[in-house]
Amino acid sequence: LAEYAWAHDVTFMILPPALLAAMQPGVTLPPATLLAGTERVAPSLVERWGRGRRMFNAYGPTEATVNSTLGESHPDRLHGASVPIGVADPMTTVHVLDAKLNPTDEGELYLGGPGLARGYLGRPDLTAERFVADPFGTPGARLYRTGDLVRRDENGVLDFLGRVDEQVKIRGYRIEPGEIEAVLLGHDAVAQVTVQAREDRSGEPRLVAYVVPDAERP
């Protein structure tokens, strides 16, 4: 990939964080504009790839079709352990709300706009849970409840803080650890189990299952 980018004088790249994290030390990319997204961008990736180029962190769930915010990332402008996800894209509505749908500086992220999906096919229960009436919009307008916890700074820039539930995202895929735990508990030799997302190497999250065997089985 790197050889191709250099050979063809690539000027713009969209690459997932998992791929950027997997590139071996010493591999370089041309000074093209770089957009990373589909999962959390670690500060270590910005430190490695954000110098000498313009780098952006793109955020957006599929239900909002598909990018919702964009933040320019630079090693000298990181927010501690997080990389800002930026501000709303054009034609996208962004709200940070508390549990009572009141605006707040730190809370759950809700998205709106013409790109919003109609819901989940064949899942009216989940659709009703995630697609809610927009209390700030025109009659009939809706918001998508992302389940993502964010903080808005004094300049209106959003920081991703984590999830309000147990859902995790690995290489762009949403995963409910509880569903994996249920499968593992179905094995006769397993008495207890917990599944967690770990990031032993920055930018490379993975799922780990901790299992307690059934003492009554050999």
Side-chain angles (χ1 to χ4, degrees):
L1 175 64
E3 291 173 356
Y4 180 93
W6 281 107
H8 291 80
D9 296 323
V10 171
T11 60
F12 187 88
M13 298 177 290
I14 304 177
L15 300 175
L19 188 151
L20 292 171
M23 290 190 177
Q24 297 297 316
V27 173
T28 62
L29 293 170
T33 298
L34 174 60
L35 188 148
T38 72
E39 59 183 330
R40 188 177 72 86
V41 177
S44 60
L45 296 181
V46 179
E47 289 282 357
R48 179 179 178 185
W49 300 108
R51 298 192 183 278
R53 74 173 76 250
R54 296 191 74 187
M55 182 175 180
F56 294 87
N57 182 10
Y59 165 88
T62 302
E63 291 86 347
T65 326
V66 59
N67 200 70
S68 301
T69 71
L70 193 67
E72 186 161 6
S73 305
H74 191 275
D76 298 333
R77 295 194 295 271
L78 295 175
H79 289 187
S82 68
V83 178
I85 61 174
V87 297
D89 281 355
M91 302 296 289
T92 299
T93 303
V94 169
H95 294 287
V96 182
L97 307 177
D98 62 17
K100 296 182 179 180
L101 299 185
N102 295 314
T104 180
D105 290 332
E106 183 175 323
E108 189 171 354
L109 181 63
Y110 288 72
L111 302 173
L116 209 62
R118 294 183 179 273
Y120 300 104
L121 183 63
R123 293 295 306 275
D125 54 338
L126 188 57
T127 297
E129 176 186 337
R130 287 297 181 182
F131 293 86
V132 300
D134 183 354
F136 314 103
T138 58
R142 299 176 307 144
L143 295 174
Y144 172 64
R145 181 182 179 184
T146 66
D148 289 332
L149 183 65
V150 299
R151 179 190 299 118
R152 193 195 304 268
D153 70 11
E154 62 275 10
N155 298 314
V157 176
L158 298 171
D159 269 349
F160 173 78
L161 303 179
R163 293 285 301 177
V164 298
D165 53 25
E166 295 184 353
Q167 186 184 93
V168 297
K169 203 170 187 180
I170 306 291
R171 296 182 177 85
Y173 291 94
R174 301 179 197 175
I175 299 169
E176 295 283 355
E179 295 180 357
I180 301 175
E181 292 171 355
V183 172
L184 294 175
L185 282 172
H187 194 286
D188 293 339
V190 176
Q192 299 179 50
V193 63
T194 180
V195 175
Q196 300 178 15
R198 289 188 50 167
E199 193 169 336
D200 297 324
R201 295 180 59 183
S202 181
E204 297 184 30
R206 64 186 62 195
L207 290 175
V208 178
Y210 298 89
V211 175
V212 176
D214 188 339
E216 297 182 358
R217 292 183 61 86

